[in-house]
Amino acid sequence: MIREIKYIALSFILIAVIASGLVVQQACQPTPTARAVVLAENDFDDTNIEDDLADIDLDYYMATHLGDTPRLVQFVEYCYSNNVFKQGHYGLYLYIYNPSGSTLSMKAGNNTVNISTAYDSAGEPTEYANIGLTYLDKTSGDYNNKFYKFRITDASQFLTMSTEYAAAHNNERRYDIAGLQLRESGATLAEDVGVGGTWYYTGYAKGCGVNTTESTLDCEITELETVALDVRQTFYRPEGTNGPGNAQDTLYSVYFAVPNRLIEEYGELYSVTAEWLYAQLKPMFVVADSGVNDKLRSIAGQIASAANCNVGFAADLEYSSPVTSSSNWFTWSANTMFNLNKDVPYNEELGYYKTDYAASVWEAGFIFNRLLNSLYFSFYADLGSNKTIEDYSVSAEEVLDYMEEYSRNDTGAKILDKYSESLFESYDSTKTVKTITRRDNYSLTDAQIGDSLWDRIWGLKQTETYDGIEAIHEVTAGDFNGIEGTCRNLYINENDYTDFVTFYNASVLSNKTVYLLRFAVDDNYTARYATVFEHADNADTFDELFDGQNNKAYLATGMAMYMDFDIIYMTYEKAGEYYVIAAVADPIDIISDITPPPYDPDEPDTGLPLWLIIVLIVVGVILLLILLPILWPLIKLLLKGIVWIICLPFRFIGWIVKKIRGDDAEK
């Protein structure tokens, strides 16, 4: 009986809690209306979007908000409270109108909001950040995919920020939203949708404040100034290396234009804050024969280990020790080569695996201290009649297109839910957020083998260093001096020259100023020449597969990639005051072109072959021995002269000392 009474009492308590509920001011919206919704003290995540938007005439809303661009319908501050026991229910929710009806991605991290995360003592935003959104619900039926409900994934930092802001501003909470980055399902990049609004909340929802038996929650919306940016990428790679090896420096840049009125009102552009995910791509093979390229692409992604394929780094064509039939890998000793045939039988007579194709890298000793157990990138260099492999580059656009195509057909793990993990040598676990100021600068090294015979014999490099490269450069008409001069002055790639000039001219006509933002220097890119070979039947040698340029190739490694590069906000300086302007800019994926090695294969960066250097040294010694008896008197006289010159300062000092001593003796 006592147990039954307890159950009845608990039931009455539960009914009372549900019936009482909490009343919360649901939202403010750009065409400001406010409404109140009765909610139980459960998670607001679980409420139905149709119920949340019940007081909005969706047909009328769609009829009055034309176009295909998504827009923010409502921004909701839910259950802000000064009661510590209720703060766990705090959350920030966004309702988005998606007029095209396309399916937005529901995966975590694919959608973000650019929102202020810090304020100064005057209550103005000083920092913005791209904050992740969590998908909760969407409309169906006649409104299928038209309206979406998202929550800021982790609102804890905003609760702390709002509490501090409210303490300094009469219990007012402020939220500044610049834009939304929304990504369609299956898309590689998100689209940044401008919002440009500031939400001021005051009071409490019913039951959230102290003694708030009725809701006192109120909201006001004002316009937030933002700047829309069309961000383009470029890069600059000096012709030479950055040191004794074959690696080259690469300067990565973006350019964009801002309205001149921002400069007039807020002063000089002081800094730009951007974010990206840094990664390095796996080695890339560029070959001048379509058959070899097709062969490589047909096995791309299947080369996972020695267990299923014998593709790998091996050495010179003269092997040091035969491999065994139990191994799928070569054990050569000097120059590297590729075996490009997936299922090659072991040849007992020859002592190694017979290959269809191989690629021998020019320079001795180029081994990564490990076998290359996978090759996922291969590109065909269509040289035609006027090009050679030495001046053939693969564009960044072609590389990105290949990555997208490969990733669409790959069922493996994806980075940022778009690119196959197998395409990457390494990648950061989190995005980099960096503020680049106009006081920052970069340096590049360009080391090339000198033109003198001595430089060529010993492979000596003439080094030029480009110092003081501005991180933020305002582009002016004086920067243009032909293709080569402009690209050298501005540190942009010559293949981007036409697009850059077109962008600059259009921006000037639109009363805008163009800026170059140099945001990173990477020193890992390395390219080496290779030659394609075919194994001759019943022989233990490799013959060149093609005549002319078609047997040429090169291998590039250490290619950097900056995924989802996005400018978040910019800071202007005027008379010692700083002004923060949030940016609305679509994120982009940034890589450089694949460029050929810095040296012609006939002039490798190690100088002349070792055997020729030895011959020249031997000949020099012989000539010296022959000429030494004849030239000895002259050499002897020359040595005496050198010794006399070296001793002259000491003799002069001795003369002065004697002179002083003589004077002392007379005294």
Side-chain angles (χ1 to χ4, degrees):
M1 183 65 179
I2 296 176
R3 180 179 300 175
E4 285 78 359
I5 293 174
K6 287 183 178 180
Y7 284 145
I8 293 172
L10 288 174
S11 298
F12 275 114
I13 293 172
L14 180 61
I15 292 171
V17 170
I18 294 175
S20 63
L22 292 174
V23 179
V24 61
Q25 174 89 17
Q26 176 70 8
C28 295
Q29 57 189 29
T31 53
T33 63
R35 69 187 186 90
V37 177
V38 177
L39 298 168
E41 199 173 338
N42 63 340
D43 195 343
F44 189 48
D45 291 9
D46 298 330
T47 60
N48 184 280
I49 187 172
E50 282 88 354
D51 293 338
D52 295 346
L53 302 178
D55 65 341
I56 294 180
D57 186 341
L58 300 185
D59 289 327
Y60 178 77
Y61 188 92
M62 292 188 294
T64 55
H65 296 85
L66 304 177
D68 293 329
T69 303
R71 61 180 295 138
L72 181 63
V73 178
Q74 291 184 344
F75 172 70
V76 177
E77 179 200 69
Y78 174 68
C79 202
Y80 174 82
S81 177
N82 54 11
N83 185 335
V84 67
F85 297 104
K86 296 183 181 295
Q87 289 178 350
H89 299 289
Y90 173 82
L92 298 173
Y93 296 81
L94 300 95
Y95 294 84
I96 296 164
Y97 171 47
N98 180 39
S100 68
S102 60
T103 303
L104 299 182
S105 176
M106 304 177 190
K107 294 185 178 180
N110 283 359
N111 302 288
T112 62
V113 56
N114 185 356
I115 185 171
S116 178
T117 55
Y119 293 88
D120 60 20
S121 58
E124 295 299 320
T126 58
E127 295 179 11
Y128 287 81
N130 289 332
I131 304 297
L133 298 176
T134 296
Y135 165 81
L136 296 176
D137 198 11
K138 64 184 179 70
T139 53
S140 57
D142 293 339
Y143 307 108
N144 188 43
N145 294 337
K146 293 290 187 179
F147 295 88
Y148 280 77
K149 177 182 178 180
F150 290 93
R151 168 176 54 83
I152 288 183
T153 304
D154 182 8
S156 58
Q157 65 172 312
F158 294 97
L159 177 58
T160 302
M161 181 186 71
S162 296
T163 301
E164 294 174 352
Y165 192 97
H169 297 86
N170 299 319
N171 198 38
E172 182 179 75
R173 289 91 64 191
R174 176 173 175 171
Y175 304 94
D176 294 83
I177 299 179
L180 297 165
Q181 291 188 355
L182 305 175
R183 186 165 152 192
E184 292 188 5
S185 180
T188 302
L189 295 168
E191 176 187 359
D192 203 333
V193 179
V195 175
T198 300
W199 280 256
Y200 297 93
Y201 274 94
T202 56
Y204 299 94
K206 180 180 178 181
C208 290
V210 177
N211 299 322
T212 52
T213 56
E214 297 295 333
S215 175
T216 60
L217 191 64
D218 193 16
C219 178
E220 179 184 352
I221 302 173
T222 61
E223 185 177 354
L224 173 70
E225 180 165 45
T226 62
V227 57
L229 302 178
D230 179 9
V231 181
R232 313 285 184 92
Q233 66 161 311
T234 186
F235 75 98
Y236 183 79
R237 182 172 291 142
E239 294 182 0
T241 68
N242 57 23
N246 233 43
Q248 296 175 269
D249 284 342
T250 308
L251 176 66
Y252 290 88
S253 307
V254 295
Y255 56 94
F256 53 87
V258 299
N260 290 338
R261 66 170 182 81
L262 291 181
I263 302 172
E264 296 166 0
E265 185 172 354
Y266 299 110
E268 187 177 7
L269 179 60
Y270 175 77
S271 68
V272 177
T273 299
E275 73 172 7
W276 60 80
L277 184 74
Y278 176 79
Q280 274 197 19
L281 297 170
K282 283 189 174 176
M284 301 174 173
F285 201 62
V286 181
V287 60
D289 179 73
S290 59
V292 175
N293 182 63
D294 292 342
K295 181 71 174 180
L296 278 171
R297 289 204 171 188
S298 70
I299 59 176
Q302 302 175 37
I303 313 168
S305 67
N308 63 15
C309 185
N310 60 341
V311 175
F313 264 111
D316 197 80
L317 303 179
E318 295 296 330
Y319 59 90
S320 59
S321 59
V323 295
T324 64
S325 58
S326 62
S327 171
N328 282 337
W329 299 96
F330 292 85
T331 57
W332 311 96
S333 62
N335 285 351
T336 63
M337 56 85 69
F338 280 113
N339 167 19
L340 307 181
N341 194 7
K342 184 173 183 294
D343 299 306
V344 181
Y346 179 75
N347 190 303
E348 296 286 350
E349 180 181 355
L350 299 179
Y352 51 79
Y353 292 90
K354 180 178 177 180
T355 63
D356 288 340
Y357 301 107
S360 174
V361 175
W362 279 89
E363 188 170 319
F366 179 49
I367 299 177
F368 282 61
N369 298 320
R370 62 175 174 78
L371 295 174
L372 177 64
N373 61 6
S374 59
L375 185 65
Y376 287 82
F377 292 92
S378 181
F379 298 94
Y380 169 50
D382 188 4
L383 301 181
S385 58
N386 299 321
K387 275 193 172 183
T388 64
I389 197 73
E390 289 81 10
D391 58 15
Y392 189 90
S393 297
V394 180
S395 70
E397 291 76 16
E398 186 176 349
V399 178
L400 289 173
D401 287 344
Y402 172 79
M403 293 178 66
E404 289 184 27
E405 179 184 359
Y406 180 89
S407 300
R408 276 195 300 268
N409 300 320
D410 182 32
T411 58
K414 302 289 196 300
I415 299 177
L416 297 182
D417 191 38
K418 56 182 176 179
Y419 295 126
S420 296
E421 192 176 87
S422 55
L423 297 174
F424 294 85
E425 195 73 60
S426 63
Y427 57 92
D428 290 348
S429 58
T430 58
K431 288 186 176 181
T432 297
V433 178
K434 183 177 181 181
T435 297
I436 302 121
T437 75
R438 66 168 182 253
R439 295 191 177 94
D440 296 331
N441 57 72
Y442 301 96
S443 295
L444 298 173
T445 299
D446 185 2
Q448 302 185 55
I449 293 177
D451 295 329
S452 69
L453 178 61
W454 182 260
D455 291 338
R456 290 176 179 273
I457 291 176
W458 297 103
L460 299 179
K461 297 179 180 179
Q462 303 293 326
T463 302
E464 183 179 2
T465 303
Y466 310 138
D467 293 322
I469 302 174
E470 298 172 301
I472 299 176
H473 178 75
E474 180 182 333
V475 182
T476 65
D479 290 319
F480 294 90
N481 182 28
I483 297 179
E484 184 176 351
T486 301
C487 294
R488 172 61 184 83
N489 292 337
L490 295 177
Y491 301 99
I492 63 175
N493 186 259
E494 291 190 8
N495 292 332
D496 297 327
Y497 173 79
T498 300
D499 289 341
F500 183 82
V501 172
T502 302
F503 182 88
Y504 174 82
N505 290 335
S507 299
V508 171
L509 290 176
S510 300
N511 200 27
K512 294 181 177 181
T513 297
V514 176
Y515 289 94
L516 267 165
L517 174 68
R518 290 95 176 221
F519 66 91
V521 171
D522 192 88
D523 60 0
N524 294 301
Y525 181 82
T526 304
R528 305 269 180 163
Y529 282 108
T531 302
V532 177
F533 290 90
E534 180 184 33
H535 186 281
D537 292 336
N538 302 318
D540 59 356
T541 61
F542 288 88
D543 295 334
E544 287 196 5
L545 181 58
F546 302 104
D547 295 328
Q549 284 292 321
N550 282 0
N551 68 341
K552 304 300 183 183
Y554 63 85
L555 180 75
T557 60
M559 172 76 81
M561 184 173 187
Y562 301 85
M563 285 183 282
D564 279 359
F565 177 94
D566 181 48
I567 294 178
I568 304 173
Y569 65 94
M570 301 186 295
T571 302
Y572 285 81
E573 181 185 17
K574 185 175 186 180
E577 297 291 332
Y578 294 90
Y579 303 91
V580 173
I581 307 295
V584 178
D586 293 340
I588 59 176
D589 291 330
I590 296 176
I591 59 173
S592 68
D593 295 352
I594 308 175
T595 56
Y599 304 117
D600 188 278
D602 296 327
E603 298 179 3
D605 65 346
T606 52
L608 298 179
L610 181 60
W611 65 267
L612 181 56
I613 294 176
I614 294 173
V615 169
L616 292 174
I617 292 174
V618 171
V619 170
V621 171
I622 293 174
L623 290 175
L624 181 61
L625 293 176
I626 294 174
L627 296 175
L628 186 59
I630 301 173
L631 299 176
W632 177 246
L634 181 61
I635 294 173
K636 186 177 179 180
L637 180 61
L638 181 61
L639 290 175
K640 285 183 177 181
I642 293 173
V643 171
W644 185 85
I645 293 172
I646 293 174
C647 294
L648 186 60
F650 299 99
R651 291 177 179 175
F652 180 70
I653 293 172
W655 178 80
I656 293 175
V657 171
K658 288 181 179 180
K659 188 68 175 175
I660 294 173
R661 286 179 178 176
D663 293 343
D664 291 342
E666 291 178 2
K667 292 179 180 178

